[in-house]
Amino acid sequence: MPLDDLVRLRRARDRMDREYAQPLDVPALARTALMSSGHFSRSFRAAYGETPYTYLMTRRIERAKALLRRGDLSVTEVCMAVGCTSLGSFSTRFTELVGQSPSAYRARDHEQGAAIPACVAKIGTRPVRRAEAKEAKEAKEAKGNGSDGGPGAPVA
């Protein structure tokens, strides 16, 4: 991929990071990258491994987790604050990425994280799609971490 395409894709990705709460769609992001919508979507996926929509929703859920940990906003207020317009779609996507509903996540005790700096907490609580988590776990197990030759150990 040409370097100037990567620079333009980064500009669009930076816009998603900054303006995640704004109504962003692929045509608007493609204009930011000075590309057609189709070329932008294909190039973004090739460069970052996910679609622009998936990237944007992951950022929104990441921000939503931080707001829910604070505990001073309702789930609906958090949904609207991060740029989602449908509470049902937000809850479904949140549950898919986090593994529990927004209200269950909000109710969870987050006091142990109070002493952890926000930048560290952000890394440790970044949403991961369930399929990616499963693949990472399977890859780790396939490497034989902690294998003592017992049942399930790789056969040479």
Side-chain angles (χ1 to χ4, degrees):
M1 180 174 302
L3 184 59
D4 55 333
D5 278 1
L6 290 173
V7 169
R8 290 192 303 249
L9 289 171
R10 179 61 187 251
R11 189 178 308 135
R13 193 179 80 167
D14 288 347
R15 181 177 178 196
M16 284 187 264
D17 288 340
R18 271 190 326 273
E19 300 176 20
Y20 64 89
Q22 301 302 315
L24 296 172
D25 57 11
V26 170
L29 294 168
R31 284 191 298 275
T32 299
L34 305 173
M35 297 177 175
S36 70
S37 295
H39 182 65
F40 171 72
S41 292
R42 285 187 302 276
S43 298
F44 192 95
R45 184 176 189 124
Y48 298 113
E50 60 188 338
T51 66
Y53 175 78
T54 302
Y55 181 85
L56 178 60
M57 284 307 295
T58 302
R59 292 293 76 69
R60 286 177 172 172
I61 298 302
E62 188 175 81
R63 271 45 171 221
K65 287 176 71 175
L67 292 173
L68 289 168
R69 280 193 305 273
R70 275 189 0 203
D72 60 336
L73 298 174
S74 71
V75 172
T76 303
E77 290 170 325
V78 169
C79 170
M80 298 303 162
V82 298
C84 295
T85 55
S86 165
L87 182 59
S89 296
F90 168 75
S91 294
T92 299
R93 188 68 170 172
F94 189 97
T95 303
E96 177 184 304
L97 291 173
V98 178
Q100 61 187 160
S101 70
S103 53
Y105 185 84
R106 183 176 182 266
R108 221 171 72 185
D109 182 21
H110 294 287
E111 289 303 315
Q112 72 276 10
I116 299 173
C119 59
V120 174
K122 181 179 176 182
I123 293 168
T125 61
R126 183 158 190 231
V128 177
R129 286 184 292 285
R130 308 297 274 172
E132 288 177 1
K134 183 178 176 185
E135 289 172 10
K137 181 180 177 185
E138 289 171 355
K140 184 176 179 181
E141 290 172 356
K143 288 183 180 179
N145 288 349
S147 177
D148 59 1
V155 179

